Amino acid sequence: MTESAIRPDNAALIASVASVQDALGAQNYICSSQIATAVYLAWHLGKPVLVEGPPGVGKTELAKTTARMLDLSLIRLQCYEGLDEAKALYEWKYGKQLLYIQVLKEQLGEILQGAVGLKASVARLHEFGDIFFSEEFLEPRPLLRALREEGGSVLLIDEVDKADQEFESLLLEILSDFQVSIPEIGTVKAGAQKPLVFLTSNNTREISDALKRRCLHLYIPFPEPKLEQEIIRARVPEITEELRRQLVAFVQELREMDLKKVPAISETIDWARTLLLLHSEALEADLIKDTLNVILKFQDDIDTVEAELYSITGRALNRR
Amino acid sequence: MERTLANFIRALRMADVRVSTSETLDAFRTAEITGWRDRTALKQALALALPKTADEKDAFDACFEQFFRFDDFRSEGKPEDPTDASPDDDSGDEAGESGDSAAGGEGEAPGGGGGGRSSGSDAEELEELVHPGEMSGPSSELGQLLMAEDSSRLSLAIANAARDAKLEEIKVFTQKGLYTRRIMEGMGLAGLQEELGELGESTELPDRRLAAELRRRRDGLREQIRDHVERQFLLHADARGDRLREEMLRKVKLSNVEHRNFRHLRVLVQKMAKQLAAAHSRRRRVTKRGQLNVPKMLRRNMRHGGELVELAWKSTKIDRPKVYAICDVSGSMTTYARFMLMLLYSLEEVLPNVRAFAFSSDLGEVTDLFRREAIDDAIALTLKDYGGGSTDYGQAFEDFERLAGSALDNRSTLIILGDARNNFGEARTDLLRGFRDRSKRVMWLNPEPEMAWGSGDSEMRRYQAHVHQANVCNSLLHLERVVSNLLRAVT
């Protein structure tokens, strides 16, 4: 492990699972001990974490918060269909390379001064440093940048399931050995402090076994009512205790229904903020009806819930 | 501890959690970091390193709970005198349990003991036991362990003895008694029995108290070991049975599968489809049109001195192959057709352009039915609507030509599942030839062994000449192989 490179304040933060949990909590990210264990292990094993779970449970937020907690820079790579190495790994500064060729052409006479015949000229050219494919013309993209970051970084590869299968293979070298091979230059290795890597996936397709094997696998489910209340307390502290309990209970009721897209934590937080704006003290059916579009994103779902609104509200309010 | 973890991983693999060697190494390092003290922490940590899908997480949970259940040793083996109980484990549950075991011990220990004591002194012994008093120290190793009240050491000793007895190799449930005894012996039962015998000779009160207590604890221990063996049996042998059955079902001829196994087969087919889907989903191809990829083009043309000679294109294209499947669902083919349909149904995810047709004499398209209905209903309806008639391939090809003939193109693959037994009707090989010429690939899957092709009313030999590929296909293994090849070819 790379203990020597860890900043002393960070070493204390990640000394145990409990301290990680507390530190994340101090950054307003309230999480279960399972999540804290993942961060703790990822750090100590030097392994990437593949985070899966329904949308809106805080997968991306986990990486962001961890970066904040450890005071490391966050390098984010958003994946999409057609993402390739030129955008993820590195690219040559082709404009600069073209200019270099032109400059070289002009200088050619000077360089070859005194060389007689083709053979001697070529020999002279060989002596001349080959900088065409060198660091100067290299444009690092997120993955390479994360590797070269001094003092470590948090690398977030977001929604890796959106990228193509080929891209996963590209990631393998980085994730297992923390290095990148650039044919023209050689292998670039991570510095003393390896980046902490988070990959997130929404499960739109199965991630390949090879990638999974190299990662720790964290599944974040919807939170328990108690945890969700804690989260709301941390994120929207102004809201009253009673309203918080009610709205969490209501959202939990919705999650048990057969909806196209059930509300996630991010929606609960949005809703809490909405209710705060409206200066509401307690949940009422009419109020819910007016703000339902904050937590439900499909008209079908809104219709379904509206039809049963009174019974759901009743159940939610009686829930303890 | 390493062997325990290795055994645990073995159990996980039995429970269908795929654990690779590198993941095993991760698990060891994880365990090193978290340590073995805190069970929850260990579980959470291993849950990150070993299972990698939601299904596997569930299996892991169940497996872990079964495998690491040493905590229940704690409540037993405690002295019956409540004042002796340590103050920290006063939870109602545990106290109740310890009370139970104590009561059981009093009633059973003297009678059940194999030490050979005469029953006359049992009452006296009981009397002595009720009044706790001075007790001599045990001398045998196992006796000391039993009296030490150290539940973790005791469970460790059991686990060690179980390992030495190779408990993980237990295969059938009749072996449970054997393994229980072996483990007991491994823990030093002989020494304990000897000590019990000696104590029995003694007339000293403390000695006899010790003997009674030891006997009680020995029986408690036997109970615990039996439970341990039981759990390990469930963990190791049960899963192995499943594996065996699965293996068998894959190889057996589909027509010979017994009806009660259909349920298992369906699970298997779905599993297979899922694997195939994972292996073959989404292939991309760089196309030679669309937008120019300027950086790539400039770079590529550096070697030409910056003059643009070669073009590089930006767009890649997802290839969406089209698959047409024709299933013979006449009487003789029903069983095979059922599984073929099942697989086609399950494959819809991977291959969005699957069109399925069924016939015995008249052919009809069942694609919509597949999209609409649940798998069982869809297959049942297909068999009801089209099945049972006498086979007429000529008619079926004519219908297919009419329904989908014009849609066949160089991206289409046509699969025909049938035994080619045409009841001496018209073969219409000309139509089949036409299909072949227009599509990328035509495959014929025949459940009959190749020897039977062309015998009797089978037209297989003639049809074979007009398809790209003809295969025998009568078990799930065949089906899997064929479909995998198919997917590789079409995607």
Side-chain angles (χ1 to χ4, degrees):
Chain A
M1 228 72 34
T2 50
E3 304 283 351
S4 57
I6 302 173
R7 274 178 252 162
D9 47 333
N10 277 352
L13 281 181
I14 45 170
S16 73
V17 174
S19 65
V20 171
Q21 198 172 2
D22 290 345
L24 286 173
Q27 301 286 341
N28 272 346
Y29 189 88
I30 312 296
C31 63
S32 62
S33 62
Q34 178 77 72
I35 296 175
T37 310
V39 175
Y40 170 78
L41 277 181
W43 181 272
H44 288 280
L45 287 176
K47 287 220 133 209
V49 190
L50 172 63
V51 192
E52 288 191 311
V57 289
K59 297 187 291 291
T60 308
E61 201 58 35
L62 174 63
K64 287 194 203 162
T65 314
T66 309
R68 248 194 343 263
M69 171 184 101
L70 297 171
D71 195 21
L72 294 173
S73 54
L74 176 78
I75 295 171
R76 180 171 174 166
L77 175 67
Q78 178 70 45
C79 295
Y80 51 87
E81 229 180 84
L83 179 70
D84 59 3
E85 57 183 33
K87 284 170 198 128
L89 209 49
Y90 66 90
E91 169 80 298
W92 295 105
K93 295 175 181 165
Y94 56 91
K96 225 170 152 188
Q97 281 179 328
L98 275 181
L99 278 176
Y100 172 74
I101 291 185
Q102 275 177 3
V103 173
L104 193 68
K105 259 185 198 158
E106 280 163 24
Q107 305 282 315
L108 214 53
E110 243 170 77
I111 296 167
L112 299 180
Q113 218 168 25
V116 185
L118 190 65
K119 216 169 183 178
S121 306
V122 173
R124 184 69 63 86
L125 257 186
H126 280 310
E127 283 167 28
F128 187 70
D130 186 13
I131 65 161
F132 191 76
F133 285 118
S134 68
E135 295 272 343
E136 277 117 275
F137 291 111
L138 195 66
E139 174 88 65
R141 300 288 188 191
L143 295 182
L144 190 59
R145 246 187 20 244
L147 283 187
R148 301 209 295 191
E149 192 80 18
E150 294 293 324
S153 60
V154 173
L155 172 63
L156 167 62
I157 303 174
D158 213 4
E159 304 192 2
V160 69
D161 53 330
K162 298 266 164 59
D164 316 305
Q165 211 130 34
E166 289 80 359
F167 181 71
E168 280 180 28
S169 325
L170 189 79
L171 285 176
L172 296 183
E173 188 185 6
I174 298 177
L175 296 184
S176 57
D177 300 326
F178 290 98
Q179 63 174 43
V180 169
S181 297
I182 302 173
E184 293 88 350
I185 293 182
T187 309
V188 178
K189 283 204 169 75
Q193 181 62 55
K194 289 174 191 163
L196 192 59
V197 186
F198 289 92
L199 299 103
T200 72
S201 156
N202 279 335
N203 253 333
T204 54
R205 75 182 164 84
E206 197 82 355
I207 305 295
S208 75
D209 281 346
L211 187 67
K212 279 187 172 171
R213 216 164 36 227
R214 285 165 174 80
C215 301
L216 297 171
H217 184 270
L218 173 67
Y219 183 83
I220 306 185
F222 286 124
E224 302 282 308
K226 232 176 110 198
L227 189 63
E228 189 160 21
Q229 284 197 38
E230 289 290 315
I231 294 169
I232 300 291
R233 196 210 310 274
R235 285 301 167 99
V236 195
E238 302 89 349
I239 205 162
T240 62
E241 166 103 37
E242 181 59 18
L243 184 56
R244 183 171 64 229
R245 198 187 58 72
Q246 288 177 351
L247 79 93
V248 167
F250 187 83
V251 170
Q252 295 268 344
E253 280 291 335
L254 289 189
R255 287 200 191 124
E256 280 163 26
M257 291 176 66
D258 181 24
L259 298 176
K260 231 182 207 166
K261 184 188 177 305
V262 292
I265 306 175
S266 51
E267 271 101 15
T268 317
I269 295 174
D270 285 347
W271 201 32
R273 292 206 174 112
T274 311
L275 294 181
L276 194 69
L277 265 183
L278 296 172
H279 301 292
S280 12
E281 297 284 315
L283 272 193
E284 290 155 27
D286 289 338
L287 180 69
I288 297 176
K289 204 170 182 174
D290 292 339
T291 53
L292 213 49
N293 54 355
V294 179
I295 40 174
L296 296 174
K297 302 295 165 69
F298 287 95
Q299 191 56 42
D300 286 358
D301 288 352
I302 295 181
D303 292 344
T304 319
V305 173
E306 258 178 15
E308 295 175 48
L309 191 59
Y310 286 92
S311 66
I312 303 173
T313 319
R315 257 181 291 148
L317 293 185
N318 291 325
R319 197 161 156 157
R320 285 283 151 186
Chain B
M1 276 295 145
E2 262 114 58
R3 275 205 39 203
T4 311
L5 190 53
N7 277 344
F8 175 57
I9 285 168
R10 221 173 105 140
L12 274 182
R13 286 191 180 134
M14 288 291 177
D16 258 349
V17 178
R18 301 223 314 221
V19 182
S20 67
T21 318
S22 68
E23 281 162 327
T24 309
L25 291 175
D26 285 346
F28 279 116
R29 284 174 59 199
T30 308
E32 249 168 54
I33 288 176
T34 48
W36 294 86
R37 292 268 158 241
D38 186 345
R39 187 171 175 278
T40 336
L42 181 68
K43 183 179 172 186
Q44 286 186 343
L46 288 180
L48 291 162
L50 292 170
K52 300 283 163 90
T53 63
D55 286 351
E56 287 185 353
K57 294 240 178 218
D58 287 345
F60 172 87
D61 274 353
C63 228
F64 189 93
E65 291 303 332
Q66 256 191 19
F67 197 91
F68 293 107
R69 262 191 49 187
F70 296 134
D71 51 347
D72 57 355
F73 294 118
R74 195 173 307 140
S75 52
E76 298 172 40
K78 257 193 293 188
E80 57 207 289
D81 191 341
T83 53
D84 267 12
S86 43
D88 57 322
D89 44 17
D90 51 356
S91 73
D93 189 35
E94 267 182 298
E97 243 181 88
S98 98
D100 281 353
S101 77
E106 264 180 79
E108 285 164 16
R117 293 262 308 189
S118 68
S119 61
S121 56
D122 281 356
E124 199 184 332
E125 212 174 63
L126 267 179
E127 192 91 353
E128 289 159 9
L129 266 169
V130 180
H131 309 288
E134 206 184 324
M135 215 187 273
S136 14
S139 57
S140 71
E141 204 182 313
L142 182 58
Q144 278 165 0
L145 186 65
L146 282 176
M147 295 304 286
E149 314 253 325
D150 187 345
S151 60
S152 58
R153 242 181 69 206
L154 190 64
S155 33
L156 192 66
I158 292 180
N160 283 336
R163 227 162 37 205
D164 293 339
K166 298 208 166 27
L167 181 57
E168 67 270 14
E169 284 170 16
I170 185 167
K171 283 200 180 67
V172 287
F173 73 97
T174 45
Q175 288 174 311
K176 281 183 208 166
L178 174 75
Y179 276 101
T180 309
R181 211 181 64 232
R182 270 199 209 157
I183 294 170
M184 285 288 273
E185 277 163 9
M187 289 179 75
L189 181 66
L192 181 70
Q193 293 292 33
E194 211 168 284
E195 186 184 5
L196 278 175
E198 277 166 24
L199 287 172
E201 308 286 311
S202 163
T203 48
E204 299 285 319
L205 200 57
D207 281 356
R208 298 183 51 182
R209 280 213 188 91
L210 175 68
E213 183 64 25
L214 273 181
R215 207 163 292 140
R216 193 180 67 73
R217 290 187 183 201
R218 179 199 59 197
D219 291 339
L221 178 70
R222 180 173 291 141
E223 227 21 66
Q224 284 170 27
I225 293 178
R226 199 169 293 147
D227 283 353
H228 184 71
V229 170
E230 172 85 43
R231 278 197 299 274
Q232 297 293 316
F233 169 73
L234 285 178
L235 216 56
H236 292 297
D238 233 26
R240 199 169 323 176
D242 274 357
R243 183 80 35 117
L244 228 83
R245 188 178 53 211
E246 240 174 54
E247 204 54 39
M248 186 271 291
L249 281 178
R250 278 159 66 92
K251 286 189 188 142
V252 78
K253 264 176 101 172
L254 285 175
S255 54
N256 296 344
V257 174
E258 288 166 61
H259 201 271
R260 68 190 164 85
N261 275 330
F262 272 12
R263 196 168 48 84
H264 299 300
L265 259 187
R266 212 184 74 201
V267 176
L268 203 59
V269 168
Q270 268 159 356
K271 213 157 123 189
M272 211 162 88
K274 216 170 154 191
Q275 274 171 12
L276 288 171
H280 298 283
S281 59
R282 303 219 298 183
R283 289 272 166 85
R284 311 178 119 264
R285 200 177 57 182
V286 181
T287 50
K288 292 252 175 219
R289 39 185 316 142
Q291 281 179 297
L292 280 174
N293 186 347
V294 179
K296 199 173 176 186
M297 190 167 66
L298 284 173
R299 211 166 49 245
R300 195 183 276 180
N301 286 302
M302 290 291 183
R303 67 181 93 144
H304 308 302
E307 303 293 333
L308 301 183
V309 180
E310 291 173 48
L311 297 184
W313 299 98
K314 231 179 206 169
S315 39
T316 51
K317 194 167 132 195
I318 301 174
D319 244 353
R320 295 235 184 267
K322 290 194 275 187
V323 174
Y324 298 83
I326 303 180
C327 265
D328 180 353
V329 289
S330 62
S332 58
M333 289 290 300
T334 317
T335 339
Y336 300 108
R338 181 185 295 274
F339 291 105
M340 186 66 192
L341 291 172
M342 218 181 252
L343 192 69
L344 282 175
Y345 188 97
S346 313
L347 274 178
E348 268 242 287
E349 269 178 73
V350 219
L351 301 170
N353 294 323
V354 177
R355 285 177 72 184
F357 301 83
F359 76 97
S360 44
S361 58
D362 294 318
L363 175 138
E365 182 161 3
V366 292
T367 318
D368 285 342
L369 192 70
F370 273 32
R371 294 218 172 106
R372 224 175 35 235
E373 304 287 341
I375 181 161
D376 283 330
D377 297 343
I379 291 169
L381 276 173
T382 307
L383 292 177
K384 181 174 144 269
D385 288 354
Y386 298 98
S390 71
T391 330
D392 184 348
Y393 280 84
Q395 179 63 41
F397 287 155
E398 253 171 55
D399 289 341
F400 182 74
E401 173 72 49
R402 186 168 43 78
L403 283 172
S406 57
L408 284 178
D409 58 24
N410 60 0
R411 287 194 297 143
S412 334
T413 301
L414 177 63
I415 311 172
I416 303 167
L417 179 78
D419 54 8
R421 298 218 169 260
N422 205 16
N423 299 322
F424 302 106
E426 209 178 340
R428 296 302 302 266
T429 45
D430 55 321
L431 282 174
L432 187 60
R433 185 82 212 174
F435 300 152
R436 180 197 146 119
D437 290 344
R438 265 171 290 161
S439 46
K440 187 177 172 193
R441 200 158 187 83
V442 177
M443 297 167 88
W444 193 300
L445 308 180
N446 193 334
E448 287 186 351
E450 210 166 333
M451 271 168 54
W453 293 5
S455 69
D457 60 349
S458 170
E459 300 280 3
M460 196 56 208
R461 288 287 169 218
R462 287 177 64 195
Y463 284 139
Q464 198 182 355
H466 300 283
V467 297
H468 292 92
Q469 188 183 349
N471 287 86
V472 178
C473 177
N474 57 25
S475 72
L476 278 189
L477 202 65
H478 283 153
L479 201 56
E480 181 180 18
R481 214 171 284 157
V482 167
V483 175
S484 180
N485 282 338
L486 163 81
L487 286 173
R488 200 165 304 141
V490 295
T491 52

